[in-house]
Amino acid sequence: MKVRVGIDIACRAAHQAACADETGRIVWSGHRFHTRAEELEVLWARLPGDATEVMIVMEPTRNAWVPLAAWFRRRGATVVMVPSEQSADLRAYYAKHAKSDRLDAELLARLPLLHPDGLHPETANGPGDPLKRAVKLRSGLVRRRSACMQRLDALLEILGPDWVAALGSDMTQTTFKFLAAWANPHQVKRLGRARLARWFQRQTRKAWGERRADAVVSAAEATLALWSPTGLDYEALAADIAVEASLALELARQIAGIDERIFDLYCDADPDQILLSVPGVGKILAAQIRGRLGDPHRFTSLAAARAFSGLIPRQNSSGLTETTGGPTKQGDACLREALFLAADHARKTDPTLAARYQRLMCDTGRHHTSAL
């Protein structure tokens, strides 16, 4: 006997399970349990004794599904994750005007009969994989640092245009340290060119020096001439700039630390470092692609892997009409981000890809983003 167990996962409340046989007949329903070993044992004991195959069907509800999937796999069950959008469409067809945890569990138990082509066994731990989790965390840290840099740029515009020109628009860690301590033009004037030049030399190993100090002091003088010595609350503005600069500096330190850990995890996942041989792919992007793509052998074809990336066009055809749209964007967003950045680097280094990019931009009139 083959049984299918549908589980409607809850994050705080009790999960609810329903069991169906291979014909779709509900064996039992409405079993409530939590993610605890003893309660899972009770659920497992309720399965028919003559069951030769057990399939667990769940939706990927946040991260609550990860320990459940790992426990059932250890018991020899096949775990299938169903996209929430897909199950919602089937539920609307099955019971349009009613929704409950019991109905959701019964639908998931019957789903192998209703939509067998949509069953894809989940063999990995998802967010439990440290590489997949680390690259997602790094991507979030980079976005937060970029937001801090944009706010810093906007705050420096209040002081005047000379500050960005003096400190550079790339916003290095030395820039963050300087702004966290001395964003007040009166403080810069009191420091003087000599002391400021020595500070820059210590922070940058003599990459910056007197020329940079002269530019910063000149920017402070320009601000005082523009606003007058009392025309702006410099202390309050400097305090706001210091907060953003301190956040950006701490985020930069966290990113540098997680980069080392990510590369070590990538070397374990891809010992031959195959991804590093791809044009435009470096250590970080290789780890991000491998971490978010997962085991490539789980895909049945190249088309399935492309569909997972969400970079395939939408298609709508009927009769003699056929239209295609933009990318579906239904896959992993962090994977698409890595592929996009890799393509941008590759077109600058690989002659063949550079020629293709130019042809897309010039001959077909594509936008930069579309061409990438």
Side-chain angles (χ1 to χ4, degrees):
M1 182 180 181
K2 298 180 181 179
V3 297
R4 313 288 186 252
V5 180
I7 300 178
D8 184 68
I9 300 176
C11 296
R12 297 293 181 264
H15 315 308
Q16 192 155 167
C19 180
D21 60 19
E22 54 190 318
T23 65
R25 182 181 64 88
I26 298 297
V27 179
W28 48 259
S29 180
H31 180 87
R32 294 179 177 273
F33 68 100
H34 294 85
T35 309
R36 298 189 181 94
E38 58 274 13
E39 296 189 33
L40 289 169
E41 292 287 355
V42 173
L43 171 64
W44 191 262
R46 289 198 63 181
L47 299 180
D50 56 347
T52 58
E53 178 184 310
V54 179
M55 177 180 290
I56 308 295
V57 186
M58 302 183 293
E59 293 179 88
T61 304
R62 285 179 42 176
N63 291 338
W65 66 272
V66 178
L68 290 175
W71 193 91
F72 284 116
R73 277 199 298 264
R74 288 200 306 271
R75 284 305 187 104
T78 301
V79 178
V80 174
M81 305 306 300
V82 180
S84 301
E85 182 181 358
Q86 183 184 94
S87 62
D89 292 341
L90 288 171
R91 182 178 60 245
Y93 169 78
Y94 180 65
K96 185 175 182 179
H97 300 291
K99 182 190 182 303
S100 67
D101 294 343
R102 180 182 60 82
L103 288 175
D104 289 346
E106 292 181 2
L107 171 72
L108 291 172
R110 286 173 169 154
L111 192 137
L113 185 65
L114 298 173
H115 186 47
D117 294 337
L119 301 180
H120 302 287
E122 181 65 48
T123 58
N125 288 328
D129 178 20
L131 178 59
K132 183 176 183 178
R133 192 173 58 246
V135 296
K136 181 69 172 180
L137 176 60
R138 184 191 185 277
S139 177
L141 291 175
V142 170
R143 284 196 297 270
R144 295 177 201 173
R145 183 182 61 178
S146 298
C148 288
M149 293 167 66
Q150 291 171 358
R151 288 193 291 267
L152 275 174
D153 191 70
L155 290 173
L156 288 176
E157 287 177 349
I158 300 175
L159 291 174
D162 295 335
W163 284 81
V164 175
L167 294 172
S169 58
D170 52 352
M171 293 282 182
T172 63
Q173 291 198 35
T174 302
T175 303
F176 297 147
K177 293 177 183 178
F178 173 79
L179 293 176
W182 302 304
N184 189 331
H186 288 296
Q187 288 180 312
V188 174
K189 289 280 291 178
R190 285 195 295 268
L191 279 172
R193 287 178 169 83
R195 282 194 293 175
L196 197 55
R198 289 195 297 270
W199 185 86
F200 279 135
Q201 288 176 349
R202 288 196 304 271
Q203 296 297 325
T204 63
R205 297 179 181 178
K206 298 186 177 181
W208 289 5
E210 295 181 357
R211 183 178 299 178
R212 186 73 60 168
D214 289 340
V216 171
V217 173
S218 299
E221 293 173 347
T223 298
L224 295 174
L226 178 66
W227 282 97
S228 80
T230 59
L232 181 67
D233 191 341
Y234 296 108
E235 286 292 338
L237 182 57
D240 294 341
I241 292 175
V243 171
E244 295 291 349
S246 299
L247 288 174
L249 182 60
E250 180 59 28
L251 288 169
R253 289 170 176 166
Q254 293 291 339
I255 291 170
I258 203 171
D259 282 348
E260 298 180 3
R261 182 159 61 92
I262 285 175
F263 186 66
D264 292 338
L265 293 171
Y266 166 70
C267 291
D268 294 336
D270 185 13
D272 297 329
Q273 299 184 5
I274 296 174
L275 279 170
L276 287 177
S277 64
V278 180
V281 177
K283 294 180 179 180
I284 299 302
L285 290 182
Q288 189 168 342
I289 293 172
R290 178 60 179 83
R292 302 309 297 184
L293 186 66
D295 184 8
H297 300 291
R298 66 192 179 98
F299 297 103
T300 57
S301 63
L302 176 60
R306 293 177 64 238
F308 179 77
S309 72
L311 292 175
I312 59 174
R314 299 178 184 273
Q315 185 175 4
N316 184 11
S317 60
S318 177
L320 299 178
T321 62
E322 182 176 353
T323 59
T324 57
T328 62
K329 296 185 180 180
Q330 292 297 308
D332 191 280
C334 194
L335 173 63
R336 286 196 301 276
E337 176 189 62
L339 295 174
F340 185 87
L341 293 174
D344 194 22
H345 289 301
R347 70 171 178 95
K348 301 173 184 176
T349 57
D350 187 271
T352 303
L353 295 176
R356 178 176 177 82
Y357 172 82
Q358 185 178 14
R359 185 169 64 253
L360 289 171
M361 289 283 288
C362 300
D363 297 345
T364 65
R366 297 290 185 89
H367 186 269
H368 165 74
T369 303
S370 178
L372 283 183

